[in-house]
Amino acid sequence: GFVVGHAGLYQALAMFAVAYFIIGMTVLSVCAIATNGALDAGGAYYMISRALGPEFGGSIGIMFFLANVCGSALYVLGLVEAVVDSFGIPPGQEVGTGVHVLPQSYWYELLYGTVLLALCLLVCLVGASIYAKATFLIFLIVAAVLGTILVSFFATRPLKVPIHLPNFNGTETDNGLFTGFSLNTLRDNLGGEYRVDYTTGQMMSFSSVFAVMFNGCTGIMAGSNMSGDLKRPSYSIPRGTISAVLFTYLVYNLLAFLMCATCNRILLQKDYGFLRDISIFPPLVTVGIYAATLSAAMSNLIGASRILYALARDDLFGRALALAKKTSASGNPVMAVILSWLVVQVVLFSGKLNTIASVVTTFFLLVYATVNLACLALEWASAPNFRPTFQYFTWHTCLLGIAGCCVMMFLISPVSASASLGFLLLLLLALHYLSPSSTWGYISQALIFHQVRKYLLMLDVRKDHVKFWRPQMLLMVQNPRGSARLIDFVNDLKKSGLYVLGHVELEDLDMLPSDPLQPQQDSWLSLVDKLNVKAFVSLTLAPSVRHGVRQLLFTSGLGGMRPNTLVLGFYDDEAPQDGLVRHPAFTSAREEVPLGFPPLRAPTAPKLLSAREYVGIVADALKMLRNVLLARQLESLDKAWELRRAASPPPTIHVWPVNLLRPDSARYADTCSLFLLQMACVLNMARAWRRARLRLFLCVEAGTMPHAQEEKLRQLLKDLRIQAEIQLVSWDAITCLHWQTCQGPPGGLAEEEEEEGVVNFPSNTTQVSDEYVCAANKLVLEQSPAPAVRFLYLPRPPADTSLYPLYLHQLELLTRGLGPTVLVHGVSAVTSTQL
């Protein structure tokens, strides 16, 4: 009567259509999720949390709990209004007459609500079985009342219904009319005519009336809330919910038409209990109203308690809900029931039904939207295990349900909708950072997989362009205990590119009962999390380290995301140091160093690979057109200290883009030198290294016009948009040592050597003396102030494999005592001067 009286028949039917459209879409999602696996206690909370993960599940669980709590309070207040209408002392009278004996005031009505809520509490404390019996009895009563009301519309003759309304001077009496079936009455009630609600004194509107009406439709979740108490929830929830929705929709529409055709506007707007006055048996209508509202109040109370119990059992809120876990001997969550009752009691202080209607509706709409979102996510993830036996849904129905819920939320009350979403966001953030990890499975992972696969297929390597080149690193790690700072350093070098931590286990799978790498995977992933690096982990079995690195270079990555740069630690005789013990991520007393990694190699123990094999790995990578970085003494790099030290002077990065082992072919614009410049620039662009300054060293000889060379290099840096300080270094004394050991003068090299694209030759390795290399090392070392890190040119290994040990010996001499140093060799063009 309230809805039809204010909105008219047309708008009332539209409200029912909109409400049941939203509810229908949500019911399809509920049925799909409910038939996709075993359900436990918690209803919608259980469905959402197991589909969307603990953050969404926990936050929506709290919202759904509050919605049920407020809904229970709303129905109790509605029952109080009905009791007061039937037995309250009329306004303006001090003494009641006949059955009108109940005093009316805010505190008396709060008392009546408390008593009725206590009755609901007693039923819920006994358990779900007595509640089910009580609701079935109430269903029979309501069905009988409904039949009586339908008969009354036809059997009752036209009559006047006196209406007593309170005003400032006492009471005001008006007369409503029951006209029987009348075309004039129907015509008068077709359009809307919103007026002041006599119970609250507030002006009604479409949104406020819809908010009150929608609360009569929220019982669709009553069955799913009892999922933990049903024998076959996957069978009962779809059938019971769909039957209830169809039945109530038909009844609401039928009653709206009958009321509009038989009752005038005054009766509908000013007497919400007019059905008693027109009934052929008025006491039965009163009993039906009481039974229906009492059943709804109990349904919401027991639903709230089951949600609270499920939240407590999942430990999402820790000790805050620990009390709600306690159950009776029969398994009834009595403490959750009592806690829910206390919260409902607090909500009862709001006093009037229509006051909290918009809040309750907003909460329910938000929950319904999230149920649809959960089903939509499961459908879009296309996981093979999402196989609901209920097939009458698509992603379109889920999307329509979400859109309908969101639109109606903001139409009903923009303030309540915004506040609810803000509260939901706060809960999401709190649970994301504070809740423990769960084993339920995260739909986000399935959705990410689905999208990543799609975009990887779209990432076409044939469309690569040097403008958009970025380093994609494969860092080979023997034992993370000795490589923590190197892992962190390479993370700064990747510039949002692919970063893979590779490890080779020297085993033969034929001789093993199972794969030994699977147990190690978790330790590596935990290490990545603790070090806070954005890296993947790739482990492999191989008979030798060289074969394992080849495997990883061939197979790591996917599609257009494959490593283009190999990073190795330096091969020397230094004893490895345990960097994890000193790393900031593990210095807290609460953190323990991962135990999944073996102890470091003892200084006297043999190495896993020889010098020849190590250089072979470098040669293999270059043959496979991978850039190579060799990192020496990076474990001595205290990045935090280097970047925290006094701002004047700031830390520096020294860059030597010339091949110090080949002074006869010194060039600054070859592919390798440009790649070295690019890597130094990439490091300087990392957030942690932005304060550092690049210092580029230009090696000059007497009589070669050094200023012209400097200007040419400065123009190159300008074209490449690299900000660096250029420092001229005279190396005549160094090059003289080189020419003394060569067989001929500087110009005596064969022409084919000069024209060759590579920058190292078998003959050159033997021509470079240790004296020259030590002098070059001293030249680099003398440049002050000492930098945080140095970038040096890495020559190509000799073609003659017998010279590999000599080549490695020269690299060791060149970098001895330099501190953190990165030797760089690039094989691909990585710089661009174009837009």
Side-chain angles (χ1 to χ4, degrees):
F2 167 80
V3 175
V4 175
H6 287 284
L9 181 62
Y10 289 154
Q11 291 188 35
L13 295 178
M15 287 183 186
F16 293 140
V18 171
Y20 274 87
F21 172 79
I22 294 172
I23 290 169
M25 299 300 101
T26 306
V27 164
L28 296 180
S29 299
V30 168
C31 294
I33 298 175
T35 59
N36 189 53
L39 276 180
D40 206 340
Y45 157 71
Y46 188 85
M47 298 178 191
I48 295 169
S49 62
R50 269 51 179 183
L52 299 183
E55 294 93 347
F56 249 108
S59 52
I60 286 297
I62 290 294
M63 301 292 285
F64 198 26
F65 167 74
L66 294 175
N68 278 276
V69 161
C70 294
S72 182
L74 183 138
Y75 288 120
V76 170
L77 292 172
L79 182 53
V80 169
E81 286 188 10
V83 171
V84 169
D85 283 346
S86 301
F87 302 105
I89 298 174
Q93 296 183 17
E94 295 183 0
V95 180
T97 57
V99 295
H100 300 282
V101 294
L102 296 179
Q104 293 192 52
S105 72
Y106 169 79
W107 293 107
Y108 274 113
E109 291 178 7
L110 179 61
L111 175 63
Y112 305 150
T114 301
V115 173
L116 293 171
L117 183 60
L119 178 61
C120 296
L121 173 65
L122 289 176
V123 174
C124 294
L125 283 176
V126 173
S129 59
I130 190 67
Y131 163 76
K133 294 175 183 176
T135 51
F136 181 71
L137 177 62
I138 290 171
F139 169 75
L140 294 178
I141 295 173
V142 171
V145 172
L146 183 61
T148 303
I149 290 173
L150 293 176
V151 172
S152 299
F153 281 112
F154 297 92
T156 303
R157 295 181 178 181
L159 55 85
K160 286 185 179 181
V161 180
I163 303 170
H164 303 283
L165 298 174
N167 62 12
F168 295 108
N169 300 321
T171 60
E172 173 188 345
T173 302
D174 204 346
N175 289 316
L177 293 177
F178 176 78
T179 63
F181 285 95
S182 168
L183 191 59
N184 290 331
T185 304
L186 179 62
R187 190 180 296 112
D188 292 340
N189 288 329
L190 289 178
E193 189 176 322
Y194 295 99
R195 292 185 179 177
V196 175
D197 174 29
Y198 73 87
T199 63
T200 62
Q202 298 176 355
M203 185 66 186
M204 292 291 100
S205 63
F206 180 91
S207 59
S208 58
V209 172
F210 181 85
V212 175
M213 182 277 301
F214 192 81
N215 286 289
C217 312
T218 56
I220 63 163
M221 288 294 184
S224 63
N225 288 344
M226 298 293 294
S227 56
D229 300 296
L230 298 173
K231 291 183 178 178
R232 298 171 60 192
S234 297
Y235 175 85
S236 303
I237 288 176
R239 287 161 176 77
T241 306
I242 292 175
S243 301
V245 168
L246 292 176
F247 178 74
T248 54
Y249 179 66
L250 293 174
V251 169
Y252 282 161
N253 282 275
L254 178 60
L255 287 177
F257 175 78
L258 293 176
M259 289 175 184
C260 285
T262 58
C263 305
N264 74 342
R265 185 83 67 172
I266 294 175
L267 182 62
L268 293 173
Q269 287 185 342
K270 296 185 178 181
D271 185 6
Y272 300 154
F274 71 93
L275 288 176
R276 284 192 305 270
D277 301 315
I278 67 171
S279 174
I280 57 176
F281 188 56
L284 188 59
V285 175
T286 302
V287 172
I289 292 173
Y290 295 170
T293 50
L294 190 64
S295 170
M298 283 192 297
S299 170
N300 280 270
L301 179 60
I302 200 167
S305 67
R306 294 312 189 262
I307 296 166
L308 186 64
Y309 171 66
L311 283 167
R313 199 174 60 175
D314 287 337
D315 278 329
L316 295 183
F317 294 90
R319 296 180 181 178
L321 298 180
L323 191 63
K325 294 182 184 179
K326 297 183 179 180
T327 61
S328 65
S330 60
N332 186 30
V334 289
M335 290 309 301
V337 172
I338 293 173
L339 291 173
S340 302
W341 166 75
L342 287 173
V343 180
V344 176
Q345 184 63 58
V346 171
V347 178
L348 285 181
F349 282 93
S350 62
K352 289 295 181 182
L353 180 151
N354 293 354
T355 305
I356 59 173
S358 62
V359 177
V360 177
T361 302
T362 301
F363 280 1
F364 272 111
L365 283 170
L366 191 58
V367 173
Y368 294 168
T370 313
V371 171
N372 284 299
L373 177 63
C375 189
L376 178 68
L378 289 169
E379 177 69 9
W380 274 355
S382 301
N385 283 322
F386 182 60
R387 298 189 297 269
T389 56
F390 182 86
Q391 296 290 329
Y392 303 103
F393 78 100
T394 67
W395 66 267
H396 305 86
T397 61
C398 302
L399 208 56
L400 287 172
I402 294 171
C405 291
C406 294
V407 169
M408 291 314 302
M409 274 172 54
F410 283 94
L411 283 180
I412 290 170
S413 175
V415 175
S416 297
S418 302
S420 301
L421 288 173
F423 182 53
L424 176 64
L425 183 61
L426 287 176
L427 287 172
L428 274 170
L429 292 174
L431 286 171
H432 179 72
Y433 289 106
L434 301 178
S435 68
S437 59
S438 71
T439 57
W440 306 337
Y442 293 80
I443 191 65
S444 59
Q445 297 298 304
L447 290 172
I448 290 170
F449 178 90
H450 188 268
Q451 294 302 308
V452 167
R453 180 194 63 84
K454 181 171 70 175
Y455 287 116
L456 273 175
L457 290 171
M458 296 169 62
L459 189 61
D460 191 346
V461 294
R462 295 168 296 182
K463 297 178 181 179
D464 282 348
H465 194 279
V466 67
K467 289 189 298 185
F468 308 112
W469 179 90
R470 65 181 72 243
Q472 305 200 80
M473 304 292 198
L474 171 61
L475 170 62
M476 297 306 303
V477 180
Q478 178 185 342
N479 190 332
R481 292 182 181 274
S483 308
R485 288 182 174 172
L486 176 58
I487 293 171
D488 189 48
F489 178 79
V490 177
N491 187 61
D492 291 334
L493 271 179
K494 72 180 187 308
K495 188 55 180 173
S496 303
L498 178 68
Y499 184 16
V500 180
L501 297 180
H503 173 71
V504 178
E505 195 76 18
L506 300 181
E507 298 280 359
D508 185 357
L509 193 58
D510 290 338
M511 308 300 294
L512 298 171
S514 62
D515 181 7
L517 299 179
Q518 292 300 323
Q520 298 183 28
Q521 190 78 17
D522 286 344
S523 296
W524 282 86
L525 293 176
S526 298
L527 176 76
V528 167
D529 292 338
K530 291 295 183 185
L531 295 181
N532 195 26
V533 294
K534 297 181 175 65
F536 298 96
V537 174
S538 186
L539 311 179
T540 189
L541 286 177
S544 69
V545 175
R546 186 175 183 180
H547 281 86
V549 176
R550 282 179 185 169
Q551 290 176 20
L552 293 177
L553 285 172
F554 277 124
T555 62
S556 292
L558 199 62
M561 293 188 68
R562 291 185 179 277
N564 57 28
T565 304
L566 174 66
V567 186
L568 301 172
F570 197 77
Y571 190 95
D572 53 29
D573 295 324
E574 293 184 13
Q577 302 293 323
D578 195 335
L580 289 186
V581 176
R582 304 187 305 273
H583 197 279
F586 299 98
T587 53
S588 171
R590 294 178 301 171
E591 303 290 352
E592 294 183 0
V593 177
L595 301 178
F597 303 115
L600 289 171
R601 175 182 60 84
T604 57
K607 296 180 180 180
L608 295 179
L609 75 167
S610 64
R612 188 185 298 271
E613 187 179 9
Y614 176 83
V615 180
I617 292 172
V618 176
D620 291 343
L622 296 178
K623 290 176 184 177
M624 297 164 69
L625 297 182
R626 303 299 202 275
N627 309 298
V628 176
L629 274 61
L630 304 183
R632 185 172 192 186
Q633 294 186 356
L634 261 297
E635 287 305 302
S636 66
L637 173 63
D638 190 344
K639 184 177 73 172
W641 180 85
E642 288 285 355
L643 302 177
R644 274 201 314 265
R645 64 182 183 176
S648 181
T652 57
I653 301 171
H654 286 190
V655 183
W656 294 79
V658 65
N659 185 358
L660 295 174
L661 296 185
R662 182 74 187 277
D664 51 308
S665 62
R667 292 194 295 265
Y668 288 91
D670 66 9
T671 299
C672 188
S673 297
L674 292 176
F675 181 80
L676 188 150
L677 278 174
Q678 181 83 319
M679 295 311 299
C681 180
V682 165
L683 180 65
N684 194 208
M685 293 169 71
R687 179 177 300 177
W689 291 88
R690 284 176 186 169
R691 280 191 58 247
R693 296 291 179 264
L694 289 181
R695 179 171 295 168
L696 189 62
F697 292 92
L698 176 61
C699 297
V700 295
E701 298 181 48
T704 57
M705 294 186 296
H707 293 293
Q709 293 184 39
E710 180 183 3
E711 189 59 34
K712 184 178 179 181
L713 182 58
R714 196 177 302 280
Q715 184 60 43
L716 175 64
L717 294 177
K718 183 179 178 181
D719 293 340
L720 297 176
R721 289 90 60 206
I722 296 176
Q723 295 182 0
E725 172 191 344
I726 298 177
Q727 182 170 329
L728 300 180
V729 178
S730 174
W731 69 336
D732 291 291
I734 311 299
T735 55
C736 287
L737 294 174
H738 173 68
W739 302 125
Q740 290 173 5
T741 57
C742 292
Q743 296 178 357
L749 291 170
E751 288 185 10
E752 59 269 18
E753 284 194 6
E754 289 295 333
E755 296 174 359
E756 193 70 39
V758 297
V759 293
N760 205 317
F761 301 93
S763 59
N764 189 64
T765 302
T766 58
Q767 289 174 356
V768 175
S769 66
D770 287 356
E771 182 184 10
Y772 164 76
V773 177
C774 290
N777 170 265
K778 184 179 179 182
L779 176 69
V780 174
L781 192 59
E782 286 175 347
Q783 309 307 315
S784 61
V789 64
R790 290 179 172 89
F791 283 84
L792 301 184
Y793 192 113
L794 174 67
R796 181 182 288 269
D800 185 355
T801 58
S802 65
L803 298 177
Y804 281 0
L806 178 59
Y807 168 80
L808 187 58
H809 171 69
Q810 292 175 353
L811 294 182
E812 195 280 327
L813 286 179
L814 179 63
T815 57
R816 182 179 295 176
L818 295 184
T821 304
V822 182
L823 291 161
V824 181
H825 190 98
V827 296
S828 55
V830 296
T831 56
S832 172
T833 58
Q834 302 175 359
L835 285 177

